[in-house]
Structures are given as C-alpha cells and as structure tokens.
Amino acid sequence: MYTSHEDIGYDFEDDPKDKKTLKPHPDIDGGWAWVMVLSSFFVHILIMGSQMALGVLNVEWLEEFHQSRGLTAWVSSLSMGVTLIVGPFIGLFINTCGCRRTAIIGGLLNSLGWVLSAYAVNVYYLFITFGLAAGKHCFGSGMAYLPAVVMVGRYFQKRRALAQGLSTTGTGFGTFLMTVLLKYLCAEYGWRNAMFIQGAVSLNLCVCGALMRPLSPGMDGDGPEGKAPHHVLPAHSTESIRSSGQLRDAEEKRGGPGTEDSSLGDAPAQACQEKAAHRKDMCAFRLLKTVSQLTMRVRKGFWDWYSGYFGTASLFTNRMFVAFIFWALFAYSSFVIPFIHLPEIVNLYNLSEQNDVFPLTSIIAIVHIFGKVVLGIVADLPCISVWNVFLMANFTLVLSIFILPLMHTYAGLAVICALIGFSSGYFSLMPVVTEDLVGIEHLANAYGIIICANGISALLGPPFAGWIYDITQKYDFSFYISGLLYMLSGKESTCQCRRHRFDP
C-alpha cells in the first residue's frame, strides 16, 4: 500500500514563500501513540494468544470426534494459517476502508466464527466454521490483526522496535491467559460452551479497532477529523431546482380563466408541494454523490493495492525481500508445532500431572513476553544492529527445535521451552527489518506478504507433524525436519541480509 506523508506521521505546513514543508505529527512517539500500543497489545491477546492456546481444544476435539491427529490438527493450523495468509488481501480493505473500520469488521467476523464453531458435529464442520470459516473467524482475525501492526508502525519512528515489542507481547500474555481460561471453561462448561464464551470475549476486538485513530485529518475516513468533507449542494443548483419548480407552477397558473383566484387559495398547498419536491431532489442528489465518492474510493484503494503487488514498483523485484519471504515460508512452523502438539507430547511422556501445575505452553508464553521486550530494547540501542539481534535469535530458535526431541523429563522440556519462548521474541522485530528492506511507504503491503508466508508455514506445519506421528508413532522426526527446513531457508536470506547491510 503506497502511503502519503500523512500516513507516516507528517503534516504539510505553508511557509511564507508558499512552499510545502514537513512538520512532525504531535502524536508521533507519544500521546495517542501509546494508546495504539495498548490497542495492538489487546488485539494480540485476543487473536494470536487464543490461537496459540488451541492445543487445549485440540485435545478435546480428539476425544470428541475420534479422528487421527493429522486430520484434527488441520483445524488449528487452518485457524492460524488462514489468519496470516489473508494478509495481502487485507491490504485492499485497509486502502479502501481504513484501519479502524477494517479492524471493527474483523472483530465481528471473528466472534461469529467462534459461535458457529460451537455447533460443530464433526471435524469437517470445524474446517469451515473455525478453520476457513467462510470468511468469518480466520478472515476476521486477519482483518483485526494487520491493522494493529500497521498502525503501531505509523505512530512510531524513534522507538519503533520497542513499541512493536511491547504490543506483540500480547501474544505471550494471551497464550498464558487463554490457555488457563480455555482449560477452566472446558472443565466447567464443556468445549462447546467455552467457544460461545470466547466468541463474546472476542467482541472486544471492536473496541480495539475503534481506538485506531488515523494520524491526520481525512486519513482512513475515520473519526470526526477523518470523515470525508461534507459537500453542500452548490447554491446555483438549489436555485435552479427552485426556479424550475416556479416556472412549472407559473405555466400551470396560465392554463385558464379563474386560475389566479384559485391559486391564491391553494398557495399553502403549493408551497408544501414545492418543499417536498425540493427535498426529494436534494436526497437523490446526495445519494448519487455518496455512491460516486464510494466508487472512487474503492477504485483508488484497489489500484493502490494492485500496483503495490503487481505494478512496476512491485515488491517482488526486491531480491532481498524475496529471500526474506522464502525464509518466512518455513520459519513459523517451528514455533507453531510445539504449541499445538506439546499437550499431546506431555501425555505420551506421562508428564500430565506436572504439566497441569504449570503448562509448558505457558512457559513459552511467559518467556516469550520478556524475549520480545528485551530484544526490542537491545535492537533500539545505537551501537547494535537490529539485523544482528534478529539473526542470533533465529539461530537460537533453530537450535532449540533440534534439542527438544531429546528431552523426556519435565525439567528438560521446561528449559527448552523457555529458550523457544525467548528466542521467538524476534517476531517483534519483523516489522522493523521488513521496513528496513522496503521502506515505510511499502510496509503494509510488504508485511502482509510476510505474514502470508508465515501463514502458509503455520497451515502446513501442525498437520505435517501429526502425519509424521501417525506413521512413526513419534513426534521427534517432525521437529528434526522442520528445524532442517528452517535452517536451509535461513541460509539464503542471511546472505542477502548481510549484503544489504554492507552495501553502500
């Protein structure tokens, strides 16, 4: 999405020489910017946190529907994958409707997906209502998630890495809170009623979307300052309508003898008819004008979206960015597979009692919070490159994935889960490194492509791990294969990134 100076936090100001100068927006790096961080934080809790806690529901679905692990895992992977895959298409909604309206509509669709899924009679029903959701749960999640990330990027310049880190800690908090909440609700009310309650909780996404105030007047078409200017019908138009009515009445008056006397008696009725006709003409004019403005907005939004992906300035002409996409295709599965399958792995190792006291997924979630904040602070230091922090965190995550299958005690698994949680904090740096590759003006489109690649990874990872278990009766090989693919895909992207850093 190509953005103007208003999009990235600058306003135009007239100088004495009638030249346009740039003035920083007062909300940049302060003021309402921190409200945006809070809004994005809760969006991450409600969307990404709840999706990372789907391992709880995965166990319930296995017991309810008696399907294979590979087939049942498709529900969770579709939920997480499609949410991210629709990222590029959400850019079209942002261009057309703005971040605020897009997020509010997404909150409504997300809630509807949870409620409809409570009526599931088999796994295939969940594929539609919870996985694909016919554009409801997953598409709604994507419509709320991408605006939350983009708006934080627009409101911050100096401390963008820290702001993204703080907002995305909602994923860790949400994973911990939603895991506990879903466990409690499933135990007390059953998984169907738990999904009903979760649907009601998800309506808070609409509140988060309402807080996404555009930076400048006219931006996004939201809010009292962001509304399209109200166009009043030109004076000559109203006069012409009135004069045409008067001429028509005058011709009727000249129709025959005695009409003058009768017209004097019918003057109030004629005045009412004139007002009614004038009001009808004004309503028709305003309706046509509104439809015309909406059509022009949709056409402009679609063209901006299309040119960003397929035009002459296409992002795919950037070799470094293409290598980054290739890495993202395999990276996210290494983080998602433990969340979906750890509850089942714990049962296989007979560690359920210890895991019930403090779930391993909660350990990942809590340490993930600290990882995002710490890595964000370190990356903002002037003496440290954000790319060095990003690459070191990736290396640690790959190493942890390789070691995880070797641990068969709760203490060993807890240590590795802590490493996975901390190193995966690099997700908060992804918008920053993406902006470094393509620039702030292309951030929305570029980040939409990145999360789309992550979505494909999340979509295929958990079912792949389930199929490996169905064949080998072990989860070990799924971690080895995913870690190997992660490492190989990162090789090319690392070379491109280093070339990008040292190019003059």
Side-chain angles (χ1 to χ4, degrees):
M1 180 175 62
Y2 296 104
T3 54
S4 61
H5 288 292
E6 286 87 347
D7 297 337
I8 58 176
Y10 285 92
D11 291 327
F12 285 110
E13 183 184 52
D14 290 330
D15 62 11
K17 298 180 181 179
D18 292 329
K19 293 182 180 180
K20 297 292 183 181
T21 59
L22 290 177
K23 180 182 69 174
H25 195 282
D27 283 332
I28 290 294
D29 292 314
W32 198 258
W34 295 108
V35 178
M36 285 307 314
V37 172
L38 182 65
S39 173
S40 181
F41 173 80
F42 281 107
V43 169
H44 280 81
I45 287 180
L46 294 171
I47 293 179
M48 305 308 293
S50 62
Q51 290 185 349
M52 292 300 177
L54 289 180
V56 176
L57 291 174
N58 190 64
V59 175
E60 299 289 336
W61 294 330
L62 283 171
E63 295 178 359
E64 177 80 14
F65 302 121
H66 304 289
Q67 297 290 340
S68 68
R69 290 172 175 81
L71 183 64
T72 306
W74 268 108
V75 180
S76 302
S77 63
L78 280 171
S79 177
M80 288 185 286
V82 177
T83 297
L84 301 176
I85 288 173
V86 297
F89 304 100
I90 302 304
L92 176 60
F93 285 90
I94 293 177
N95 276 335
T96 304
C97 305
C99 287
R100 174 180 281 173
R101 290 194 182 105
T102 301
I104 292 175
I105 295 172
L108 295 173
L109 294 178
N110 180 274
S111 177
L112 183 60
W114 280 100
V115 172
L116 291 178
S117 299
Y119 295 98
V121 294
N122 52 48
V123 173
Y124 302 101
Y125 183 98
L126 288 172
F127 287 170
I128 304 300
T129 58
F130 198 75
L132 297 176
K136 293 180 178 65
H137 175 76
C138 296
F139 201 77
S141 298
M143 291 181 71
Y145 174 70
L146 184 60
V149 176
V150 171
M151 288 300 287
V152 172
R154 289 178 179 174
Y155 268 87
F156 282 88
Q157 290 178 348
K158 295 179 181 178
R159 301 198 172 191
R160 186 169 288 139
L162 177 60
Q164 292 286 6
L166 291 174
S167 64
T168 55
T169 54
T171 301
F173 277 108
T175 303
F176 176 74
L177 295 176
M178 292 302 173
T179 299
V180 176
L181 178 63
L182 286 176
K183 274 191 172 184
Y184 172 78
L185 293 177
C186 289
E188 292 292 326
Y189 306 106
W191 69 269
R192 296 183 186 275
N193 291 325
M195 298 191 80
F196 266 118
I197 297 172
Q198 185 64 32
V201 172
S202 296
L203 287 174
N204 287 286
L205 289 169
C206 299
V207 180
C208 297
L211 294 175
M212 296 180 187
R213 188 175 71 186
L215 273 170
S216 301
M219 175 72 179
D220 284 348
D222 298 324
E225 296 180 352
K227 290 182 180 178
H230 179 70
H231 298 281
V232 181
L233 191 67
H236 65 81
S237 300
T238 56
E239 291 175 359
S240 62
I241 294 172
R242 189 180 294 111
S243 62
S244 63
Q246 291 173 351
L247 289 174
R248 185 169 57 252
D249 293 339
E251 290 178 357
E252 292 177 356
K253 290 177 183 179
R254 291 195 294 267
T259 55
E260 292 186 13
D261 296 334
S262 61
S263 64
L264 291 174
D266 296 339
Q270 291 177 358
C272 291
Q273 291 177 358
E274 289 179 10
K275 289 181 180 179
H278 174 65
R279 192 180 301 112
K280 185 177 180 181
D281 290 338
M282 290 287 289
C283 290
F285 179 81
R286 287 172 180 166
L287 178 62
L288 289 174
K289 185 180 67 174
T290 302
V291 172
S292 176
Q293 290 176 343
L294 181 61
T295 302
M296 291 184 64
R297 172 180 283 189
V298 172
R299 289 179 60 186
K300 182 180 182 301
F302 177 79
W303 176 250
D304 289 343
W305 174 82
Y306 176 84
S307 60
Y309 289 114
F310 308 107
T312 54
S314 172
L315 294 168
F316 295 103
T317 59
N318 187 331
R319 290 184 59 190
M320 293 170 290
F321 182 67
V322 172
F324 199 55
I325 296 172
F326 183 68
W327 161 84
L329 280 172
F330 298 97
Y332 204 62
S333 62
S334 299
F335 179 67
V336 171
I337 289 176
F339 272 104
I340 301 301
H341 292 290
L342 263 179
E344 181 68 13
I345 292 173
V346 166
N347 292 336
L348 294 175
Y349 291 167
N350 297 319
L351 301 173
S352 300
E353 293 183 2
Q354 294 170 285
N355 190 66
D356 288 339
V357 175
F358 206 94
L360 292 174
T361 53
S362 297
I363 294 177
I364 297 178
I366 293 174
V367 182
H368 185 68
I369 297 169
F370 292 102
K372 285 189 171 182
V373 175
V374 171
L375 294 179
I377 293 174
V378 172
D380 273 335
L381 295 176
C383 58
I384 296 179
S385 169
V386 64
W387 281 104
N388 288 337
V389 178
F390 183 77
L391 295 175
M392 286 299 298
N394 271 273
F395 175 78
T396 305
L397 180 58
V398 172
L399 186 62
S400 303
I401 294 299
F402 277 118
I403 297 176
L404 181 63
L406 303 177
M407 299 298 169
H408 296 278
T409 63
Y410 179 83
L413 288 171
V415 172
I416 297 303
C417 287
L419 284 175
I420 292 175
F422 186 85
S423 58
S424 61
Y426 78 83
F427 290 137
S428 65
L429 304 178
M430 287 179 63
V432 182
V433 296
T434 303
E435 179 203 336
D436 187 49
L437 289 175
V438 301
I440 184 64
E441 67 274 13
H442 301 302
L443 176 61
N445 277 352
Y447 195 68
I449 296 172
I450 293 299
I451 65 173
C452 176
N454 286 156
I456 296 173
S457 181
L459 178 66
L460 301 179
F464 171 77
W467 287 331
I468 293 295
Y469 179 86
D470 291 337
I471 295 172
T472 65
Q473 297 301 305
K474 288 184 178 181
Y475 280 105
D476 298 6
F477 296 103
S478 61
F479 287 104
Y480 293 142
I481 296 173
S482 64
L484 182 62
L485 292 174
Y486 189 0
M487 184 173 61
L488 293 177
S489 63
K491 181 180 178 181
E492 176 64 21
S493 61
T494 300
C495 295
Q496 293 289 345
C497 292
R498 286 182 175 178
R499 191 177 304 141
H500 169 74
R501 287 175 52 212
F502 293 111
D503 280 345

